């Protein structure tokens, strides 16, 4: 069945909004997730978590874990939905871990170094907190939802410190790390001092890091002059700039690293754009660019081009990303409309291979066989489609065929 | 009463997350708004709308109206909540107008010029659609919710064309306009051709426009060379660049105008960053920057500085923006802690003036009078606080005072 058309080029200026609505219509409330909790034995307390799960039966989703979830959750859900709608990242499960309690500085720091200037009390519980994430939270998420083996870890400020610590010392836990203005000053820059050795002596193949640096400097300072600034305000940014220097100098460790300095954002406001830029960085090559020639040139091997693209994306991300079902389906019908039968057949066959539980993929393949007057195969395809899901329009075509 | 501290400077690196949670805890669902509808007599049909209303009794909120609401709503709700949390814009009511139906190209175009290349059918209903917004939708929103007299209008593609049309011909309807890669090519660039005269012969005092220009060009083109490009793909961007030229050339009309070209975004993906940049532009001077000296210098006239800032913001935005209650309250307690009694008194008095329905503002003023041992006025303040809302901690202080 031909779906509402996927738009291949930006020329379709007026119509790309015409996709089927995903917003809820059956209820008055617009709901983006649930509040849940984990009774943690490791921490001996109940932990509040926020969870967003995209719709899509049979699909597997990467999981983004964000610290200080109460602050970041809603914005990330909206942002990633929007980025996905323009093919700039995959849909994701988003898990907000609440740190909005008296134990925040305990959870996010690995070493004991209380500092009243920063209201750091009861520090040093990071190891236990990561044990909670690894042994209790992740298993809960991965048994409850349909997850792809790709995890993103997001932290801001003290949370950014925990993200850096995890990348350096437990890199197996996540695939991609977003460290937003991390509190590298903690405990007399302890982690920063350890980082050069760790980054030099280890490899970080298939790991991504995005480091965001906010403008937390006194007026009149810049990222050069602040390095010699001994003032209180310089204490935040200097160790972050030093972290950046080390990361730039050790890039032979295969870590995929990018960073950005945000001149117009302070320590608090930097998080939003940082998260956006990080996701765009991780998913830089994700989007399939449909060139006009792929559709107009009858000899273009579009199914092969698509497979090659998504194999490359899968290798880069470290998990299998399949060609988008609607994109392939629509390209198939475009080819069929142009009587490019080889191309159309290959595309529809690609879809039933990738989406064997999709009734519509088999229905479309049936349409293809109908068009080339291969009624036997059309019947096989429609039969398969109906086995998966009884659909009136498929049934009608089937009955018409059987009457012949 | 002293609230959980508002953080004045970015130095409070570890603790700014410690604000009271606004997320729902009483239910498992995380809800950001409602689906509602308007039975439109003007359009003779039922129109679906999405509505987000911030919490906050007694507060008045600007209203952001966004076309193609189903696509933009969630991302805007999260974005504006996040921008507000870092004081980069006010909280807002967000109204998503659904255009995801067969009448989209009818609603968003003012002139009849169907074009099968862009699947434009049944065009030319823009005037009626704007009548629906002005006569039916706006009254519904403004009678149902607590609105400030400040409206933002957001449109993308054909929606951007409608936004431009409204700014040029019905500018009284909104205060600020976001035109995202607008379809200025419509009807042989009719609106573009009219715009120079309109922009030259009228003034646009207190009106804001942000124009976003996406990279919809063929590979190898840039914003210079595309102006001579006669290809199909250049048809979108050329009239937008020409619109920008006219806006730049006619800035004596007092329109507050900014634009941005997004080299890394196509027609579809540009919307998200464009909305973010536009809100930052409209609210550029909104944030109150608390300098250390305002708090440390006993002679700093902080209440006057605050009033001056918010008066300037109010003038710029065209509606009254009051100094943030928590910010003033916390600054008051900071001054009180430093025995800066004049400063503290002025701040607490400012708050009861601005928030006469706030029990906490009167409770805080009572604390101030207690501290300076003016028991008579402390009793008056606590009494007022209790009249507004019975609160145990205020009652306790009151009873203790009355025993003296």
């Amino acid at each position: 069945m031909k779906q509402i058309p996927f738009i291949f080029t930006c020329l379709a200026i007026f119509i790309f909004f015409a996709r089927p609505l995903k917003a809820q219509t059956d209820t008055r409330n617009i709901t983006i997730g649930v509040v849940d909790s984990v009774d943690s034995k490791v921490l001996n307390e109940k932990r509040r978590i926020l969870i967003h799960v995209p719709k899509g039966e049979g699909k597997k989703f990467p999981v983004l874990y964000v610290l200080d979830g109460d602050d970041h959750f809603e914005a990330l859900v909206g942002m990633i939905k929007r980025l996905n709608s323009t093919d700039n990242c995959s849909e994701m499960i988003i898990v907000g871990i609440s740190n909005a309690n008296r134990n925040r500085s305990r959870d996010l720091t690995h070493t004991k170094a209380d500092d009243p200037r920063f209201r750091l009390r009861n520090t040093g519980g990071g190891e236990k907190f990561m044990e909670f994430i690894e042994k209790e939270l992740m298993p809960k998420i991965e048994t409850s939802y349909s997850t792809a083996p790709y995890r993103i870890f997001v932290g801001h400020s003290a949370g950014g410190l925990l993200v850096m610590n995890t990348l350096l010392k437990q890199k197996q836990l996540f695939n991609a790390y977003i460290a937003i203005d991390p509190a590298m000053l903690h405990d007399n820059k302890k982690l920063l001092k350890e980082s050069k050795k760790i980054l030099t002596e280890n490899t970080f193949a298939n790991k991504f890091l995005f480091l965001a640096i906010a403008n937390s400097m006194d007026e009149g300072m810049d990222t050069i002059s602040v390095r010699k600034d001994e003032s209180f305000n310089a204490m935040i940014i200097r160790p972050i700039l030093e972290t950046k220097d080390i990361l730039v100098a050790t890039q032979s460790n295969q870590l995929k690293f990018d960073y950005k300095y945000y001149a117009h954002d302070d320590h608090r406001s930097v998080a939003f754009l940082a998260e956006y830029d990080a996701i765009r960085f991780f998913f830089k090559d994700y989007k399939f660019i449909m060139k006009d020639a792929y559709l107009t040139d009858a000899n273009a091997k579009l199914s092969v081009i698509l497979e090659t693209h998504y194999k490359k994306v899968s290798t880069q991300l470290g998990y299998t990303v399949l060609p988008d079902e609607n994109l392939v389906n629509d390209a198939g019908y475009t080819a069929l409309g142009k009587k490019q039968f080889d191309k159309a057949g290959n595309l529809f066959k690609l879809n039933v291979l990738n989406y064997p539980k999709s009734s519509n993929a088999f229905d479309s393949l049936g349409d293809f066989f109908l068009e080339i007057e291969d009624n036997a195969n059309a019947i096989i395809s429609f039969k398969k489609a109906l086995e998966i899901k009884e659909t009136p329009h498929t049934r009608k075509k089937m009955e018409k065929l059987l009457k012949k």
Side-chain angles (χ1 to χ4, degrees), chain A residues 225-240:
Chain A
S225 57
V226 77
R227 288 171 183 264
K228 292 182 180 170
D229 179 6
E230 299 290 334
S231 77
F232 192 65
N233 272 343
M235 282 176 63
I236 299 169
I237 193 170
R238 281 175 55 192
I240 305 176

Side-chain angles (χ1 to χ4, degrees), chain A residues 290-302:
Chain A
M290 184 70 83
K291 296 185 181 169
D292 290 346
Y294 297 163
L295 298 171
T296 53
D297 178 1
N299 296 319
K301 304 274 179 243
L302 183 50

Side-chain angles (χ1 to χ4, degrees), chain A residues 64-73 76 97 99 104-105 107-109 120 129 153-165 177-184 209-216 236 240 262 265-275:
Chain A
L64 181 147
Y65 293 86
V66 57
L67 300 166
D68 296 308
D70 296 290
D71 293 286
H72 296 248
F73 184 78
L76 276 167
I97 304 166
N99 296 102
R104 183 173 189 270
S105 58
D107 291 344
L108 303 183
T109 55
L120 275 171
F129 184 66
F153 196 25
V154 187
H156 182 192
S157 194
L161 177 72
L162 191 74
V163 165
M164 286 302 300
N165 196 95
Y177 296 78
I178 305 178
I180 305 166
D181 225 32
M184 299 304 291
L209 168 66
F210 185 85
L211 174 67
I213 309 168
N215 183 355
S216 55
I236 299 169
I240 305 176
Y262 295 83
D265 280 284
D266 64 24
H267 180 68
R268 291 169 65 208
S269 72
V270 71
F272 187 83
L273 277 187
E275 285 158 359

Side-chain angles (χ1 to χ4, degrees), chain A residues 142-183:
Chain A
E142 290 171 12
T143 53
S144 305
Y145 306 103
S146 180
T147 58
Y150 187 84
R151 299 172 186 152
I152 301 176
F153 196 25
V154 187
H156 182 192
S157 194
L161 177 72
L162 191 74
V163 165
M164 286 302 300
N165 196 95
T166 308
L167 170 67
L168 293 171
K169 300 185 177 175
Q170 295 179 279
K171 62 174 187 280
Q172 74 284 0
L173 290 184
F174 297 92
N175 302 73
Y177 296 78
I178 305 178
I180 305 166
D181 225 32

Side-chain angles (χ1 to χ4, degrees), chain A residues 312-326:
Chain A
K312 193 179 147 201
V313 170
S314 302
T315 304
Q316 280 182 354
L317 292 177
Y319 72 97
T320 304
V321 181
L322 295 174
D324 185 89
E325 184 184 350
N326 286 336

Side-chain angles (χ1 to χ4, degrees), chain A residues 36-52:
Chain A
D36 201 345
S37 61
V38 180
D39 279 311
S40 171
K41 283 175 189 158
V42 173
L43 298 172
N44 194 27
E45 63 191 14
K46 193 172 180 173
R47 297 299 300 226
R48 168 188 161 89
I49 51 172
L50 315 173
I51 308 175
H52 164 81

